[in-house]
Amino acid sequence: GIQVEQSPPDLILQEGANSTLRCNFSDSVNNLQWFHQNPWGQLINLFYIPSGTKQNGRLSATTVATERYSLLYISSSQTTDSGVYFCAVEDAGGTSYGKLTFGQGTILTVHP
Amino acid sequence: DGGITQSPKYLFRKEGQNVTLSCEQNLNHDAMYWYRQDPGQGLRLIYYSQIVNDFQKGDIAEGYSVSREKKESFPLTVTSAQKNPTAFYLCASSRDFYAGELFFGEGSRLTVL
């Protein structure tokens, strides 16, 4: 099946810093989403972005489908940005249609 | 407010007991999913349902069962056959199976004593 690799695995920032999280995937995708898992465990949908660029406040994401990667940018980070960021993709081929495969996540810690 | 409600949030059970986790959504979504998350890991798909009265096995269905008798509800039963049931369980839904965006409930944390 499709492989999803996220980097870095851990990231520690001071409040106000910017960061870039990366998601590499091994095959063509129909669907790519970024999620934030808060300290209580709930996953919040950040972006649905199979291709192109989107922005939402301090967060933006870019997916370059032809090169099989996606980037999540966080600007002016805040302590509330802490948590785990997951990338999830849907393989464009075969029997995985409609099902998301998750990466291992990037653990972000923002210090005041 | 529209959303996905999971219950209970925390559950303890003894080995050999079955337990059922509830998932209810009022988003009018056709598709629903159950994922399992282990510490420090990503999510793995247990079962999914594209539409009421239909469901399919995901990647790790052994030891689990589901039903989809109503559009709003997709309960998951963790049976005694599941060898390592202690985990965080997340229910999700999407407008339809091919519609893309996935929305999650708050999760249920199951501990087997």
Side-chain angles (χ1 to χ4, degrees), chain B residues 40-89:
Chain B
Q41 303 292 315
L43 280 67
R44 293 183 290 167
L45 182 64
I46 305 172
Y47 268 97
Y48 62 96
S49 168
Q50 298 183 45
I51 199 164
V52 66
N53 292 322
D54 175 76
F55 51 84
Q56 306 292 334
K57 292 181 179 180
D59 300 318
I60 57 165
E62 185 176 349
Y64 300 98
S65 65
V66 294
S67 63
R68 187 85 188 276
E69 297 175 2
K70 297 188 300 182
K71 186 176 184 177
E72 306 78 29
S73 179
F74 191 42
L76 173 74
T77 297
V78 184
T79 76
S80 55
Q82 169 48 234
K83 296 197 184 318
N84 293 298
T86 295
F88 188 50
Y89 292 90

Side-chain angles (χ1 to χ4, degrees), chain B residues 11-19 79-80 85 110-113:
Chain B
L11 186 60
F12 298 87
R13 79 152 211 219
K14 294 181 181 178
E15 278 191 32
Q17 291 180 335
N18 292 355
V19 62
T79 76
S80 55
L110 172 63
T111 302
V112 174
L113 304 172

Side-chain angles (χ1 to χ4, degrees), chain A residues 31 33 35 37 40-45 47-48 86 90 95 97-105, chain B residues 33 35 37 40-43 45 48 57 59 88 90 97-106 109:
Chain A
N31 180 351
Q33 296 179 51
F35 297 91
Q37 187 169 37
W40 298 271
Q42 185 167 15
L43 276 90
I44 306 298
N45 190 321
F47 292 102
Y48 168 68
F86 288 104
E90 176 195 329
T95 58
Y97 192 46
K99 296 186 287 183
L100 289 180
T101 298
F102 282 75
Q104 297 287 77
Chain B
Y33 311 78
Y35 286 89
Q37 186 179 26
Q41 303 292 315
L43 280 67
L45 182 64
Y48 62 96
K57 292 181 179 180
D59 300 318
F88 188 50
L90 287 147
F97 191 60
Y98 310 107
E101 290 191 83
L102 206 60
F103 297 92
F104 282 88
E106 294 183 342
R109 198 170 296 278

